[in-house]
Every structure is written in structure tokens, then in C-alpha cells.
Amino acid sequence: QKEVEQNSGPLSVPEGAIASLNCTYSDRGSQSFFWYRQYSGKSPELIMSIYSNGDKEDGRFTAQLNKASQYVSLLIRDSQPSDSATYLCAKNAGNNRKLIWGLGTSLAVNP
Amino acid sequence: EPEVTQTPSHQVTQMGQEVILRCVPISNHLYFYWYRQILGQKVEFLVSFYNNEISEKSEIFDDQFSVERPDGSNFTLKIRSTKLEDSAMYFCASSGGRLGNTIYFGEGSWLTVV
């Protein structure tokens, strides 16, 4: 079983809509979760981190974590064409500082 | 805003040659990392470095790879004898002293082995 799984997409949404990105993970010991955005040929850029069950909001972005079900999601409200990118879910576990990554979900926001 | 800087941004090298990728982590950070991403694949952890020694390394980080912090600011990744499959984007990253602290990435170094 892969440690971090994401639907590779592409996910296509119209401008102004809500984009919903999902991620599941296999290790119940995982404590910290991160959503990164990556434009083609560029480095990952942190959008949100979440450590506790529930929702965390930052501007147009909301991260949701459910440790019992082992999933973490990212909602993007009022999607903009500039949000078109690959969204990477990552986690670290226990005392490990390294990040384990999903393959990413490609998001296309259509004007 | 402080950032991680990497050089070179792109390097083409012949198979078998040695390559050194350089990084300047964020100045007050204590943990340093190298990740790589082969085109179209997921980001992969290579190595983490703390207190002047490797704290963890992946299976990818074999004897062909080494890291060094030669002075108080630079952090380097050396690939001793490059192979075609080493072609990838290499990301340097750093984080602060607390567990779970955000890991910040540099812009990456594209390595093409021909």
C-alpha cells in the first residue's frame, strides 16, 4: 500500500467554483500533513499545514484532517485560473522529519 | 522573506562525471534536506542533515551520493559518478528547530545526465 495516495486527475473546475482535492495515507502514526502547490518545472510551495483533526482555514483555502479515516483534503474556494497547478499532499510521521509525498493531483481552472 | 537558494539552476553533465549541487538554507534553520523529483514522478526524500551529520537517508542515497556543510552557510550534494537515471530536479530544503516545522524548498537544480 502506498504511503500517501492522491487521485492524479486532472481535476477540471470552472473559474469561481470550489475545487476539492483529496489525499489518503496508510500510517496511523502520521502526525503532520501538508499541502503544497507545484507549478510545472518549479519547486513545491507550501499552502497549508494541518496537525489536528478538523478544519483549518486560510483565505480561500481550507484543509480538513480526519485521522480516524486517514484522509486529508484541501478545498479551494473561488478557484482562479492561477490556481491551475499540481497539488501535492505530504506527511511526516512520528519523529521523522522527512516528508513522504503523494504523486499529486493536477488541477485545471477554466476561465 | 528568507528563502533557500540553489545553484546551478540547470546543469548538463556526461555520464560518469561528478556533480556538486549547492544550496544556501535559511539562516536560522537547523535541519537541511535534499529531495529529488524525476520528471512526471513524485518527490522523493534523499537525505536529512542535522548538527553536522546525516540524520536520515533513503535507499536512493547510496555510496554515489554525499552531503557536506563546508561552512556555516552552504549545504552541498555531491553525486560522484552520475548515471542517466540521476537526471531529475534536485530540491534543497530547510526547516527550523521544532518537530513539524514547515520545510521550505529552494527553486531546484535541474540535472540532465547525457
Side-chain angles (χ1 to χ4, degrees):
Chain A
Q1 187 178 11
K2 294 177 185 174
E3 291 196 63
V4 178
E5 290 204 60
Q6 297 180 254
N7 187 329
S8 62
L11 174 65
S12 184
V13 300
E15 184 175 355
I18 296 175
S20 177
L21 304 158
N22 300 309
C23 171
T24 58
Y25 60 93
S26 60
D27 177 10
R28 285 191 177 274
S30 302
Q31 296 179 355
S32 308
F33 302 87
F34 306 86
W35 282 101
Y36 283 81
R37 177 175 60 198
Q38 188 178 32
Y39 293 110
S40 181
K42 300 295 186 182
S43 62
E45 173 193 6
L46 182 70
I47 299 173
M48 297 277 288
S49 59
I50 186 165
Y51 311 113
S52 305
N53 278 328
D55 294 1
K56 179 181 177 184
E57 188 174 315
D58 183 0
R60 296 186 297 112
F61 300 96
T62 299
Q64 300 172 317
L65 175 60
N66 184 321
K67 291 187 178 182
S69 301
Q70 295 176 241
Y71 82 78
V72 57
S73 62
L74 180 71
L75 300 177
I76 307 174
R77 288 180 298 283
D78 188 23
S79 296
Q80 302 297 308
S82 58
D83 294 327
S84 299
T86 297
Y87 288 80
L88 307 175
C89 175
K91 70 176 182 79
N92 62 23
N95 292 323
N96 291 332
R97 293 180 178 274
K98 69 181 184 185
L99 292 177
I100 306 296
W101 300 81
L103 185 56
T105 298
S106 175
L107 173 66
V109 181
N110 305 307
Chain B
E1 184 176 315
E3 59 181 17
V4 177
T5 58
Q6 290 185 241
T7 55
S9 56
H10 190 192
Q11 182 162 352
V12 181
T13 189
Q14 289 199 325
M15 193 168 53
Q17 295 297 302
E18 176 183 283
V19 161
I20 297 176
L21 305 178
R22 292 183 168 79
C23 170
V24 179
I26 294 173
S27 62
N28 62 345
H29 282 181
L30 301 176
Y31 292 84
F32 315 115
Y33 314 84
W34 283 99
Y35 288 81
R36 79 170 186 191
Q37 188 176 30
I38 296 171
L39 190 63
Q41 297 187 24
K42 62 173 64 176
V43 178
E44 299 173 293
F45 168 78
L46 293 179
V47 65
S48 60
F49 192 87
Y50 171 72
N51 200 25
N52 288 318
E53 61 182 21
I54 290 174
S55 51
E56 188 171 0
K57 60 183 181 179
S58 71
E59 292 175 353
I60 302 168
F61 195 88
D62 61 21
D63 291 344
Q64 292 299 311
F65 292 87
S66 62
V67 289
E68 197 175 42
R69 189 157 161 82
D71 53 41
S73 59
N74 291 285
F75 179 51
T76 63
L77 174 69
K78 182 191 291 186
I79 308 174
R80 209 178 327 276
S81 177
T82 50
K83 308 186 204 49
L84 295 176
E85 54 264 37
D86 293 327
S87 296
M89 177 77 103
Y90 288 81
F91 296 111
C92 176
S94 68
S95 66
R98 290 188 293 115
L99 185 63
N101 247 9
T102 300
I103 295 178
Y104 293 90
F105 285 80
E107 286 301 310
S109 295
W110 270 111
L111 176 63
T112 302
V113 183
V114 296

